Amino acid sequence: MKRQTGIAAGLLAAAAAGVVATVAFRGGQAPAGPPAAPPVTLATVVRTNLTTTVLTAGTLGNAATRPVVNQLTGTYTSLPAPGQAIRPGQDLYRVDNLPVVLMQGGTPAWRAFTPGMTAGPDVTELQRNLIALGYAAGLFAAPTGQFGAPTEDAVVRWQQAAGYPVTGEIALGQVVFLLARVIVGGLNQAPGQPASPGQVPYAVTAATRTVTVPLGSSLPPVTTGEAVSIVLPSGVTTPGTISAVGPVPPAGNSGTSGSETGGSGTGGTSDSCGSGTSSGTSGASMQLTITPDHPAATGTGPDVAVQVSLVTQSVRDVLAVPITALLALAGGGYGVEVAGPNGTDRLVGVTTGLFANTLVQVSGPGIQAGMKVATAQ
């Protein structure tokens, strides 16, 4: 570039004259010449999206779910092992050697199921499970909420398969409705111990992986559906999505999230949450829940300390150059040196916007995507 070549040549000539004068006056060897000017390369003005982020601490584990509450009286004769996954249709445990079966549903069972009972959401859930498990084939294809003869026949089929006495009725406690499959946690009971209503024989979490982040005053506003990055302890980054923003669940809830997977969540009525919702991460009253886009990449460990990258600012479809292309102008502000044909360059003043990583948003007269600008290395 002619302007820089001329400046460099002048500096070298002046330096050479100074060396000669010094040698003539003092004698001896000439000192080393001035340091070389930093190398200059060309970069392209690009049109792109820019984003700045902030890292905050989070906890990775399995999502919380409602506890498994026993409603039967007798003796625990079988309990699962910690870490075991239990799907709808499988045994949660056994009392007096009769299985308590997991079924999928959001409404807890609160009464026995008998022919002619009042219609309700619990009947609808039972019918939906009998259909999904294959016991309603040829009897009904969609839940009606009414416990009639077809439902009684489907229950008989299920009782025969589950090993219950065949009655066509289901006593309270013989099925437990939860939203999805669960992972067994720590045991509170052991086989041989007495079972009584209200006991929680063991802790459970949902199988879904989630990350929870306490919302402190220093964090940016967040919105459900917003994309984030999760930095695992290994340093690997995996994408995630904010699935809920809401109050921190009461102490003692299992899992790392205050809502059952697939439900509305503790923050189901809130679409966004700004900063300042709590006094800090240690005493935060609000938290965000993040669902990893690739759960298998997050492992299976509970209470894993991770970092979450939250977006603080973003701009779309803007012109950007490397930060090293900016030149401080004597009158203030910045400019860039635009490369012209045959090595003729021109200095153009620019207005800067968002700084993100190595790029900066710029605008100015004649600045267009594809132009070449000088950058210092």
Side-chain angles (χ1 to χ4, degrees):
M1 290 177 282
K2 289 186 176 180
R3 179 175 67 84
Q4 291 184 332
T5 303
I7 293 173
L11 289 173
L12 290 173
V19 169
V20 173
T22 301
V23 172
F25 183 75
R26 297 182 179 177
Q29 295 181 342
V40 175
T41 59
L42 294 179
T44 303
V45 179
V46 295
R47 185 169 292 280
T48 187
N49 304 327
L50 298 179
T51 300
T52 59
T53 60
V54 63
L55 284 176
T56 186
T59 303
L60 167 67
N62 287 357
T65 186
R66 283 199 310 267
V68 172
V69 180
N70 174 63
Q71 298 290 349
L72 300 179
T73 299
T75 300
Y76 291 109
T77 52
S78 178
L79 290 165
Q84 181 177 337
I86 301 176
R87 299 190 305 272
Q90 294 183 326
D91 295 357
L92 289 165
Y93 56 94
R94 286 179 175 249
V95 173
D96 294 347
N97 205 36
L98 295 178
V100 175
V101 178
L102 173 63
M103 289 193 176
Q104 189 169 5
T107 302
W110 77 89
R111 56 181 176 170
F113 293 95
T114 60
M117 65 187 294
T118 304
D122 53 341
V123 179
T124 300
E125 288 181 343
L126 174 64
Q127 292 173 326
R128 188 176 291 118
N129 280 269
L130 293 172
I131 294 170
L133 296 173
Y135 299 119
L139 299 173
F140 52 91
T144 64
Q146 302 284 342
F147 197 121
T151 302
E152 182 180 2
D153 291 342
V155 168
V156 167
R157 294 177 179 177
W158 170 73
Q159 289 175 329
Q160 290 173 333
Y164 272 118
V166 178
T167 63
E169 301 179 356
I170 301 175
L172 176 63
Q174 291 182 338
V175 298
V176 174
F177 290 112
L178 296 175
L179 280 176
R181 69 188 181 108
V182 295
I183 305 298
V184 178
L187 299 182
N188 300 323
Q189 305 293 331
Q193 289 186 314
S196 59
Q199 289 178 335
V200 177
Y202 52 85
V204 291
T205 60
T208 304
R209 301 288 281 172
T210 61
V211 176
T212 55
V213 176
L215 285 176
S217 58
S218 61
L219 296 183
V222 292
T223 306
T224 55
E226 181 178 332
V228 301
S229 294
I230 304 165
V231 184
L232 302 175
S234 62
V236 173
T237 299
T238 187
T241 304
I242 297 177
S243 53
V245 181
V248 174
N253 280 20
S254 60
T256 60
S257 167
S259 63
E260 290 187 86
T261 303
S264 59
T266 50
T269 58
S270 174
D271 291 329
S272 64
C273 182
S275 60
T277 54
S278 70
S279 59
T281 56
S282 61
S285 60
M286 301 287 287
Q287 72 175 18
L288 61 90
T289 301
I290 297 164
T291 301
D293 294 351
H294 308 295
T298 66
T300 59
D303 299 326
V304 179
V306 296
Q307 295 285 319
V308 176
S309 179
L310 300 175
V311 174
T312 55
Q313 288 181 290
S314 64
V315 290
R316 299 182 61 82
D317 196 30
V318 297
L319 296 176
V321 298
I323 295 175
T324 53
L326 293 180
L327 299 171
L329 302 180
Y334 294 97
V336 293
E337 190 169 8
V338 178
N342 302 320
T344 59
D345 302 341
R346 58 190 176 94
L347 188 63
V348 177
V350 294
T351 300
T352 58
L354 185 64
F355 286 74
N357 296 323
T358 61
L359 297 178
V360 57
Q361 176 188 355
V362 294
S363 60
I367 298 295
Q368 297 177 1
M371 283 183 167
K372 301 294 184 180
V373 295
T375 63
Q377 290 185 335

